[in-house]
Amino acid sequence: MPVMVASENGRRGMMAAMMLLREGGSALDAVELACRIVEDDPDDHSVGYGGLPNVLGEVELDASIMDGATLRAGAVAAVQGYGCAITLARKVMEETPHVLVVARGAERLAAELGESPQDQRTEEALRRWRERFAERGLTPGATENLRSVARILTRPLNLQDKIYKAARVDTLGTVNFIALDAQGNLAAAVSTSGLGWKYPGRVGDSPLIGAGNYCDNRYGAAACTGMGELAIRAATARSLVLYLKCGMPLVEAGREALRDLLTLDAAEGQYMNIVTLTPTGEHAGFSTVPGKQYLFQRAEMDEPQLADRLMLE
């Protein structure tokens, strides 16, 4: 019965998480484990350690996790100097009375929990960070009119990530996982270092329940990658699950969520991807642009497979 779906960059995390699910592990533990593996990978420059810095050269991490059985959720945003953002988000859910803790508060919580401070920047990420300044004729570290500098550096933005079995992964950043366990419970997790070269303190959809992540055992779960501002404005993850609640078939519900997004004034290069999973194990991926894929794996499968994301017809 266990099933998982993920964004294209979730292969290693999914394989480890599926082993846990096959052994009877919970969906919540599975999505946290999967995210942790991607967060710790320095070669993924869209998530966790090695993530691309903001315009000032600082890595800021966002993450959220949601339990479909209880609708409990936890999230952190704009975390600097600590890793394992998804685990910190789960601690917010389980050990505080809150859903979202940000910046200095989240860093304080990490310290209280015994986490060791760790610079999340790597030389490779900083090299890529500096290159974009050079490409745009700007000087790294300049702080005058920072809002204009951030706008120039972030539009449009397409990062080339790893190649898995000759499938090139292009992403604005973020990894997401949704799992259905043997007990019939759903859980979803999202983690990101956010938009590279963003204005300091910018928060996208990933840590916002209802925007980049939503999960309900009764109807299904959805999670987003891409330009987070779009999903925030359309409440994309919650909207898709709500369309399922209203009785729409999965494909129709996903395309209705795409229609919501396409009414927005997205700039060139800004897109939104969605993955979704239902309580019966039906899954799909959606995108506002062509050529995007997502990963899925059932318990009987040896490894995850890529599938095309659907668009509006």
Side-chain angles (χ1 to χ4, degrees):
M1 181 178 181
V3 186
M4 290 192 73
V5 295
S7 50
E8 301 95 317
N9 54 337
R11 180 173 293 269
R12 287 183 58 235
M14 182 180 282
M15 292 182 72
M18 184 54 72
M19 291 178 63
L20 184 153
L21 289 172
R22 289 192 191 105
E23 295 170 356
S26 72
L28 203 59
D29 286 344
V31 294
E32 180 189 4
L33 172 63
C35 270
R36 281 288 296 263
I37 289 171
V38 182
E39 288 175 339
D40 290 341
D41 183 357
D43 293 327
D44 189 315
H45 297 296
S46 67
V47 180
Y49 180 64
L52 281 167
N54 66 20
V55 69
L56 292 179
E58 306 157 336
V59 174
E60 296 177 302
L61 302 181
D62 306 332
S64 67
I65 192 166
M66 188 165 184
D67 179 5
T70 63
L71 303 189
R72 294 183 307 157
V76 293
V79 179
Q80 294 187 33
Y82 287 89
C84 306
I86 194 63
T87 295
L88 189 57
R90 186 169 179 179
K91 293 295 185 181
V92 170
M93 179 178 74
E94 295 180 339
E95 299 192 20
T96 79
H98 310 305
V99 170
L100 176 62
V101 178
V102 307
R104 291 189 300 274
E107 294 152 16
R108 179 188 180 99
L109 178 60
E112 286 183 5
L113 293 167
E115 296 290 337
S116 299
Q118 181 185 23
D119 189 346
Q120 297 299 297
R121 297 174 297 182
T122 63
E123 285 303 317
E124 173 63 16
L126 286 170
R127 181 187 67 79
R128 293 190 181 202
W129 178 79
R130 289 189 291 265
E131 282 179 353
R132 194 164 185 88
F133 279 88
E135 290 169 0
R136 300 301 169 94
L138 297 170
T139 302
T143 58
E144 291 185 10
N145 196 8
L146 202 60
R147 62 189 182 278
S148 177
V149 173
R151 185 181 301 114
I152 292 168
L153 293 172
T154 59
R155 184 184 294 176
L157 173 61
N158 284 288
L159 306 178
Q160 290 185 343
D161 208 331
K162 290 182 174 182
I163 299 176
Y164 292 117
K165 291 193 173 181
R168 184 175 297 278
V169 178
D170 296 312
T171 176
L172 282 163
T174 302
V175 69
N176 48 41
F177 296 93
I178 306 173
L180 174 66
D181 64 28
Q183 291 72 45
N185 293 314
L186 287 164
V190 184
S191 185
T192 187
S193 54
L195 188 64
W197 303 277
K198 63 190 174 184
Y199 195 91
R202 176 265 188 183
V203 175
D205 63 319
S206 297
L208 302 184
I209 300 302
N213 185 1
Y214 199 79
C215 185
D216 187 327
N217 270 11
R218 297 170 295 178
Y219 313 113
C224 302
T225 60
M227 193 67 185
E229 282 77 3
L230 302 177
I232 292 170
R233 293 167 63 193
T236 298
R238 170 60 172 151
S239 292
L240 197 156
V241 174
L242 183 59
Y243 295 140
L244 292 171
K245 179 180 179 179
C246 291
M248 288 186 182
L250 179 59
V251 171
E252 184 180 345
R255 285 183 166 146
E256 191 63 26
L258 291 182
R259 289 187 188 94
D260 295 339
L261 290 162
L262 292 181
T263 64
L264 306 179
D265 52 343
E268 180 185 1
Q270 296 182 349
Y271 60 86
M272 181 52 54
N273 296 327
I274 316 167
V275 290
T276 183
L277 182 62
T278 72
T280 62
E282 186 181 5
H283 59 86
F286 302 91
S287 182
T288 58
V289 294
K292 299 297 182 180
Q293 297 181 305
Y294 72 102
L295 289 168
F296 72 95
Q297 186 175 11
R298 299 184 181 277
E300 69 273 14
M301 295 166 57
D302 292 334
E303 60 182 37
Q305 292 184 13
L306 284 167
D308 292 333
R309 295 180 189 259
L310 303 174
M311 295 182 62
L312 285 174
E313 293 181 337

